[in-house]
Structures are given as structure tokens and as C-alpha cells.
Amino acid sequence: MKRVLSGIQPTAESFHLGNYLGAVRQWVELQENHDAFYCVVDLHALTVETEPALLRKRTLVAAAQLIALGLDPNKCTLFIQSHVPEHNQLGWVFECLAGFGEASRMTQFKDKSQKSGADRTVVGLFTYPILQAADIMLYQANLVPVGEDQRQHIELTRDLGQRFNSRFGNTFVIPEAYILKSAAKINDLQDPTAKMSKSAASNAGVIDILDSSDVNVKKIKSAVTDAGKEVVFDEKNKPGISNLLTIHSALSGKTIKELENEFAGKGYGDFKGAVAEVVTSYFAPVRQKTQELLADEKALLDLLAVGSEKARAVAGQTLANTYNALGLVPPRR
Ligand code: TRP
């Protein structure tokens, strides 16, 4: 079985529809026939200033949501990154392998640091992709399911792995980015030419899956639509309607063609009502399950402890091999 690893940051109170359809849904599928490791990357979340109580809450919500959305702790290894200290340990090794110029070329770092300015950019944001490389390499992952925006980080991971292997002997599996072409690209409801993102200027175009049905119905009904009145898929001239068609299709399983036929001759209003219905009925049970999981924190932490134990068994072995290859003297046993 091929090994898969991915991570998601606990940076919001809820995942949004784009997170689910663009990533988490694929994770759920992959656990069926892969040896899948998934982590909530809380250490990565420290690169932006966060309130401790909020980080704690978001980390638990993220884990609970992943389970509620279908990750099964019996089928995959689900854990919290900071529970496995080997991530930091291998991270340092990779920091000593990565070039300063190489890390400086990461476009995500350039964008983010430019936005906040050098004095407000922490060094951890600069080394973020190197910690990400450690996340992946510790588990000898073959495939890394991520969005297109992470391609460069996976390239860096591969480069670091190859560099290590050629200098110190074969130690790491070189992973591949697994970027699903069929994964639905979900855009903002208010600005349907931009990707749905938690960092959007306004939350009005973002469907948070833990929000109440009322809130989400309202957002869908106020989604920006396009000139004309036909419900047809045309990304260029009708980005708003096309986005709503994509959302409906992704959740209902109907094809775009089927939906176009179903709504032929009906107006945008009817169609938006149908989209709202599909979205809210899909996520109502997820919200409920998440709340149940959060209500028993001890049981949730027990589930996560099983995950981190499984993770540490693999990570510890990789780190020991790495230290050995580097010539670090092991402590007396
Ligand atoms: N940087 C990734 C993102 O923002 C999150 C991440 C951290 C990750 N570590 C990872 C993704 C390891 C895949 C593998 O989406």
C-alpha cells in the first residue's frame, strides 16, 4: 500500500467548503486504499500570531471536524503535529540542508512576508516549508495530497530529500505531490473569480461548514450571480452560477449537465434554493457529529493519542536512521 501524508492548519473555527471539497474529501477517499497519515499542523499555525485559548480550541475543532467529515481513526493515522516531537527534530536537520536562497524563493513566503513587512515577519514563516518537508519525510510518504498552491513546497521537499540521500546515503522516500485534477475548485460566493479562502476580505462569500444552516442559506441566497437568467456552466461569462453549479454537483453527485437540464427554464432564485438545500443537508450531520466529539474532550484526546503513538513509531525510526546517517553519536542505551 502506498503511504500518504497530508496536513491542515488549525487556523479557523471551522473548515470552509473549499477546504472540504479541495482537500479533506480526497483524504477521506485515500484512507480506503492507502496507508494514510493526516495531521493537524498546529506548529505551523504558530507562524501567525494566535491567542493561546483560540489555538487550543481550533486544534480540537479541526481534529473533531476531520473525524466528522469521514476520517476514520481505524483506517488512517490521525494526529496532532506537536504530539510528535520528531517533526521539530527532523525540521532542524533540513534547515541545515536547505539553502537560504532556496528558501527565499518560496512564493508563499514572499507573498505573506511582503504583506506584513520584514519586521513583523517571523523567522518561522521563512522556515515553514522546511518544517513541512520534515512532516512529509518522517513518514516516508509516497504521495502528498495538496492543493496547487502547495506544489512549490513539495518540490522543495523532494529536493531536500534527494540532497540528503545523495550526501548521506539512501534514507528518504522521495514523495510526489498528488494534486487531484478532478478536485472541485470552489470560489468565493461574493467574488466568484477568486478562490474561497479564509483570508478573504469578507466572510460573506465563504461557507463555513460548522455554521448554522440559517447562516449558510443566507450566504448562498446572496451569492453574486451573473447577467442573464439561464443556469448554465460558463466559467468565463458566468463565474457565479458556474461556481454554484460546481458546489451542487460536488455534493449531490449530479453532473453539471443533469443540473443544467433540471434547471432549464427556472430562474436563479430556484437554483440557489436548491444549492442551499444540498449544502445544508450535507453538513448538518457533520456539525452535529463535530459537536458530539467536542463535548467529550477526553475521548477525543484518546483517539488522537492512538494516532500519535502510531505516528511516533514511524517517525522515531526515520529520525534514528537520519541521525545515524549524519554521524550524530547516539546516546548510550
Ligand atoms: N502548508 C500546508 C497548507 O497550507 C499545510 C501543511 C503543513 C502540509 N504540513 C504539511 C500539507 C505536510 C501537506 C503535507 O495547506
Side-chain angles (χ1 to χ4, degrees):
M1 259 204 291
K2 285 204 171 166
R3 171 100 27 103
V4 159
L5 178 127
S6 198
I8 193 160
Q9 285 201 57
T11 43
E13 251 80 324
S14 167
F15 294 144
H16 58 67
L17 190 57
N19 297 136
Y20 176 60
L21 292 175
V24 177
R25 179 144 88 169
Q26 281 67 249
W27 294 14
V28 175
E29 280 167 20
L30 287 166
Q31 71 180 343
E32 296 300 332
N33 44 15
H34 292 77
D35 183 15
F37 286 71
Y38 298 122
C39 57
V40 177
V41 290
D42 54 348
L43 296 170
H44 279 107
L46 297 177
T47 56
V48 290
E49 208 177 309
T50 329
E51 213 26 70
L54 210 53
L55 177 61
R56 182 178 199 289
K57 180 170 171 214
R58 288 171 170 179
T59 302
L60 292 171
V61 172
Q65 265 180 113
L66 289 172
I67 298 170
L69 286 166
L71 289 190
D72 179 346
N74 293 312
K75 291 185 182 163
C76 68
T77 303
L78 174 64
F79 62 101
I80 294 178
Q81 185 189 30
S82 66
H83 292 182
V84 183
E86 286 84 355
H87 289 248
N88 307 69
Q89 294 174 289
L90 187 65
W92 174 255
V93 171
F94 283 168
E95 282 179 40
C96 295
L97 205 65
F100 191 82
E102 186 177 36
S104 307
R105 284 192 290 276
M106 294 296 113
T107 56
Q108 203 163 60
F109 171 74
K110 287 198 279 187
D111 291 349
K112 288 192 182 170
S113 57
Q114 219 154 50
K115 269 183 205 149
S116 26
D119 286 338
R120 299 191 52 217
T121 297
V122 296
V123 174
L125 192 68
F126 184 65
T127 56
Y128 176 118
I130 303 173
L131 180 61
Q132 181 170 353
D135 297 343
I136 298 165
M137 301 308 256
L138 269 180
Y139 300 95
Q140 309 284 0
N142 306 104
L143 299 174
V144 188
V146 282
E148 183 61 44
D149 64 332
Q150 295 296 309
R151 198 186 278 282
Q152 197 187 27
H153 290 172
I154 310 302
E155 269 314 307
L156 176 70
T157 303
R158 291 168 53 86
D159 289 346
L160 294 175
Q162 275 154 352
R163 194 171 308 155
F164 189 100
N165 284 351
S166 71
R167 272 194 214 162
F168 303 105
N170 224 343
T171 308
F172 296 107
V173 168
I174 306 303
E176 266 171 53
Y178 184 72
I179 296 171
L180 278 187
K181 293 285 170 267
S182 60
K185 266 202 334 243
I186 306 301
N187 288 337
D188 189 283
L189 300 183
Q190 291 298 318
D191 177 8
T193 56
K195 192 174 136 187
M196 188 176 283
S197 156
K198 65 177 186 308
S199 43
S202 140
N203 196 245
V206 179
I207 299 288
D208 281 321
I209 65 189
L210 296 184
D211 265 348
S212 72
S213 297
D214 289 352
V215 168
N216 283 334
V217 168
K218 214 173 268 160
K219 283 183 180 174
I220 292 166
K221 295 215 162 149
S222 347
V224 165
T225 43
D226 320 288
K229 45 183 191 296
E230 263 111 83
V231 178
V232 290
F233 191 87
D234 175 352
E235 266 180 316
K236 192 155 174 288
N237 300 308
K238 286 174 164 279
I241 288 297
S242 302
N243 189 37
L244 292 174
L245 278 166
T246 303
I247 291 171
H248 192 311
S249 167
L251 296 177
S252 68
K254 295 183 182 172
T255 65
I256 301 276
K257 266 271 146 296
E258 284 166 348
L259 292 171
E260 285 175 347
N261 291 337
E262 184 176 334
F263 292 96
K266 297 186 186 149
Y268 287 171
D270 280 356
F271 174 57
K272 282 180 167 179
V275 175
E277 168 57 31
V278 166
V279 169
T280 54
S281 60
Y282 196 95
F283 291 113
V286 172
R287 186 168 62 240
Q288 161 126 28
K289 175 93 210 251
T290 304
Q291 281 159 356
E292 281 166 24
L293 287 161
L294 289 170
D296 190 350
E297 197 174 297
K298 185 177 171 304
L300 180 60
L301 288 172
D302 283 346
L303 282 178
L304 293 167
V306 172
S308 58
E309 250 168 65
K310 282 197 276 173
R312 285 201 79 177
V314 179
Q317 189 59 59
T318 305
L319 187 72
N321 294 345
T322 308
Y323 275 19
N324 188 41
L326 287 165
L328 295 170
V329 176
R332 200 192 68 183
R333 289 208 290 162

